[in-house]
């Protein structure tokens, strides 16, 4: 009940132009949709580069972008709310399959008149006692822990804790404190950044799908785009 059975379509054999259009629609995925998960702190230029590669793979694909923190992305993948995701954390659930795309380092950002402006790179211990603006979902601590390193300072003076990137950067720019940020996040004018060292800390950006779930044509196009795209850094295109 409710099913439709097709016994044949005479236009398939009799109308070469119709067949050509159907083939073209399949190649471009015209009208197809892809629910795509993106981690909230993805750099703007990194995102637009990937989307351009995806458009080359499937010009007619309609994207439904689901932006969230990586823990929420994993849950959404497993529930089938999204089909594929770009993620910046390790996924320990064995049902999630990931392929590493690139690594990006963490930097400290500050106003131009801050003492860090005199550094070429900032040793992590120099954060000791600094006024600090913190992101609620900052991934730096877990990536420092992943290295097996201990935090080389005792405390920072928290001046603000929040989620919105523009507020974080506005406070940094106006001198309310420093903040730690991933390498490729867009910065407002009037903000300086230096790489954190001793130790250097990075996060790993990967593409994630659910193991055993058949890849639809839109998912296959997204995975092909990750191989086509030129990811930043010396470890780019690891997926190739």
């Amino acid at each position: 009940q409710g099913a439709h059975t097709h016994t044949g379509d005479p236009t398939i054999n009799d109308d070469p132009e119709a067949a050509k259009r159907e083939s073209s629609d399949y190649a471009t995925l015209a009208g197809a949709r892809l629910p795509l998960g993106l981690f909230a702190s993805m750099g703007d230029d990194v995102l637009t580069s990937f989307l351009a590669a995806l458009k080359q793979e499937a010009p007619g694909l309609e994207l439904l972008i689901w932006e969230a923190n990586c823990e929420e992305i994993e849950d959404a993948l497993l529930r089938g709310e999204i089909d594929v995701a770009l993620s910046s954390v390790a996924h320990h659930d064995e049902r999630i399959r990931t392929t590493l795309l690139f690594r990006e380092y963490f930097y400290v950002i500050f106003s131009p008149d801050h003492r860090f402006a005199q550094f070429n790179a900032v040793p992590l211990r120099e954060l000791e006692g600094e006024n600090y603006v913190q992101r609620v979902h900052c991934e730096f601590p877990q990536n420092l822990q992943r290295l097996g390193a201990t935090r080389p300072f005792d405390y920072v003076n928290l001046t603000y804790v929040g989620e919105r990137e523009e507020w974080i950067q506005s406070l940094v720019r106006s001198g309310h404190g420093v903040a730690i940020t991933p390498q490729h996040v867009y910065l407002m004018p009037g903000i300086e950044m230096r790489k954190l060292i001793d130790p250097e800390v990075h996060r790993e950006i990967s593409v994630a799908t659910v193991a055993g779930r058949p890849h639809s044509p839109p998912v296959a196009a997204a995975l092909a785009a990750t191989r086509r795209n030129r990811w930043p850094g010396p470890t780019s295109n690891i997926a190739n």
Side-chain angles (χ1 to χ4, degrees), residues 66 68-69 71-83 93 95-96 210 213:
W66 200 86
N69 300 305
E71 295 78 6
E72 297 170 326
I73 284 177
E74 181 173 295
D75 290 341
L77 274 171
L78 294 173
R79 290 194 301 265
E81 296 175 4
I82 55 178
D83 295 335
D93 193 304
R95 293 170 292 176
I96 301 293
V210 177
R213 185 178 294 170

Side-chain angles (χ1 to χ4, degrees), residues 190-208:
I191 294 178
E192 299 283 335
M193 69 186 303
R194 298 292 187 274
K195 188 177 185 179
L196 286 169
I197 60 172
D198 299 337
E200 295 182 345
V201 182
H202 69 267
R203 64 178 183 175
E204 298 185 341
I205 311 303
S206 61
V207 58

Side-chain angles (χ1 to χ4, degrees), residues 82-148:
I82 55 178
D83 295 335
V84 62
L86 298 182
S87 176
S88 60
V89 298
H91 295 277
H92 301 294
D93 193 304
E94 62 183 11
R95 293 170 292 176
I96 301 293
R97 176 184 290 119
T98 61
T99 299
L100 180 62
L101 300 175
F102 69 99
R103 300 182 180 94
E104 69 174 339
Y105 288 89
F106 285 93
Y107 281 60
V108 60
I109 60 174
F110 47 88
S111 59
D113 58 354
H114 192 277
R115 68 186 184 93
F116 287 168
Q118 306 303 315
F119 288 63
N120 293 321
V122 176
L124 198 54
R125 64 180 178 273
E126 292 291 336
L127 294 181
E128 177 75 40
E130 284 287 335
N131 290 335
Y132 189 76
V133 182
Q134 180 173 310
R135 291 173 182 79
V136 170
H137 299 287
C138 180
E139 298 170 20
F140 179 81
Q142 67 204 63
N143 282 286
L144 180 65
Q145 185 178 27
R146 176 180 51 80
L147 294 176

Side-chain angles (χ1 to χ4, degrees), residues 29-88:
L29 296 180
R33 289 186 172 187
L34 176 66
L36 172 68
L38 297 176
F39 60 98
S41 58
M42 188 173 191
D44 296 5
D45 290 343
V46 177
L47 172 60
T48 54
S49 174
F50 169 68
L51 294 183
L54 181 54
K55 186 173 181 63
Q56 286 184 291
E57 290 292 333
L61 184 64
E62 179 181 339
L63 276 180
L64 303 176
I65 294 180
W66 200 86
E67 178 190 358
N69 300 305
C70 287
E71 295 78 6
E72 297 170 326
I73 284 177
E74 181 173 295
D75 290 341
L77 274 171
L78 294 173
R79 290 194 301 265
E81 296 175 4
I82 55 178
D83 295 335
V84 62
L86 298 182
S87 176
S88 60

